[in-house]
Amino acid sequence: MAGHSKWANIQHRKGRQDKLRAKVFSKLSKEITIAAKMGDPDPDKNPRLRLAVKEAKGQSMPKDNIERAIKKAVGGEGEDYEEIRYEGYGPNGVAVIVEAMTDNRNRTASTVRSTFTKNGGNLGETGSVGFMFERKGEVIYPASVGDADTVMMAAIEAGAEDVESSEDGHVIYCADTDLNDVSTALEAELGESESTKLIWRPTTTTEMDLENMEKLMKLIDALEEDDDVQRVTTNFEASDEVMSQL
């Protein structure tokens, strides 16, 4: 499982740097607006919206921005976005899933395809790599909330399936349909999480050396630069030595 927790930690570190960029707030706002449009604008009555707001708070998004995003949906503003998933292969055949929200399917498909091609990868058909992942809920807590045993007990009580604890923090996994209930139970026990979201968790991984890992990070960065792309997931596995050189 080492590769998975390493990937969570990379996302974590990147997440901290990304906070400086308005791009992240814009992607979070889009998710909030869509969730509010698809259901009730009250987060307490709309699990998807509640999770979107929770994730936004975890990324230190100002309350005003969150409220503005919900009001957009209530006022019928904002484009009609559709959610699309792209699947492909990166350097060394590593599997890549790209989740996007777009108001122009052709534009997004064209940009994602050319980004893969320019960065040593290729876009596949839907389903071409999806079988290598499971849809799961993921809740991340800092190491400071407690030791591994404390968090494990809280996670079991909350109905979670698995916990990975390291010096960087605790990553708790649950069934995708249980995320709202599990995160609420964990919050009562451990306080606010750093991140709560649905993810694609790899079931098989691809070993990467330093050269391929550098290429992969370039591909991920280029994909994340696209305003239509919400999230990028891959199934790489890399040694501590490789990770320390990135």
Side-chain angles (χ1 to χ4, degrees), residues 1-220:
M1 304 303 267
H4 307 162
S5 57
K6 283 198 196 92
W7 177 236
N9 295 338
I10 283 190
Q11 287 183 315
H12 227 59
R13 284 200 296 276
K14 272 186 65 59
R16 287 208 181 94
Q17 293 156 12
D18 284 349
K19 276 183 197 172
L20 306 173
R21 303 191 307 175
K23 197 176 276 291
V24 169
F25 286 171
S26 149
K27 292 182 182 194
L28 291 165
S29 291
K30 198 190 278 189
E31 169 62 33
I32 289 168
T33 302
I34 284 185
K37 262 189 175 180
M38 288 171 70
D40 197 290
D42 178 354
D44 290 335
K45 298 176 186 167
N46 181 338
R48 177 170 174 173
L49 178 57
R50 182 179 175 280
L51 291 171
V53 168
K54 201 171 163 55
E55 181 63 13
K57 284 179 178 171
Q59 295 283 350
S60 305
M61 185 163 156
K63 196 177 170 189
D64 288 353
N65 295 35
I66 293 171
E67 287 173 357
R68 202 179 307 131
I70 294 174
K71 278 179 186 158
K72 246 188 181 181
V74 176
E77 294 174 54
E79 295 80 357
D80 282 327
Y81 292 107
E82 60 176 321
E83 296 174 281
I84 306 174
R85 187 172 86 238
Y86 300 97
E87 299 179 23
Y89 292 93
N92 199 34
V94 69
V96 183
I97 291 180
V98 180
E99 293 170 271
M101 285 183 182
T102 181
D103 56 354
N104 185 329
R105 182 185 274 259
N106 292 340
R107 176 193 67 220
T108 309
S110 164
T111 307
V112 169
R113 186 180 298 281
S114 70
T115 303
F116 266 95
T117 306
K118 284 177 194 164
N119 290 279
N122 60 290
L123 193 60
E125 297 295 318
T126 302
S128 58
V129 304
F131 66 93
M132 298 184 220
F133 298 81
E134 292 176 319
R135 193 64 164 156
K136 293 289 177 190
E138 176 195 77
V139 186
I140 296 176
Y141 276 95
S144 57
V145 297
D147 60 22
D149 289 343
T150 304
V151 174
M152 177 65 84
M153 287 309 296
I156 290 168
E157 288 286 315
E161 295 177 343
D162 193 12
V163 182
E164 289 176 4
S165 293
S166 71
E167 60 191 24
D168 295 312
H170 309 278
V171 185
I172 300 160
Y173 298 101
C174 64
D176 56 346
T177 50
D178 294 344
L179 181 57
N180 190 44
D181 292 343
V182 169
S183 66
T184 303
L186 284 168
E187 203 172 298
E189 198 64 34
L190 302 173
E192 282 278 341
S193 63
E194 283 190 348
S195 170
T196 300
K197 61 191 175 195
L198 287 168
I199 60 151
W200 293 99
R201 190 183 189 192
T203 51
T204 62
T205 55
T206 299
E207 185 69 37
M208 303 290 273
D209 59 18
L210 181 59
E211 185 187 347
N212 281 312
M213 203 60 219
E214 286 172 340
K215 287 179 187 169
L216 176 61
M217 293 310 286
K218 266 191 182 165
L219 169 62
I220 292 168

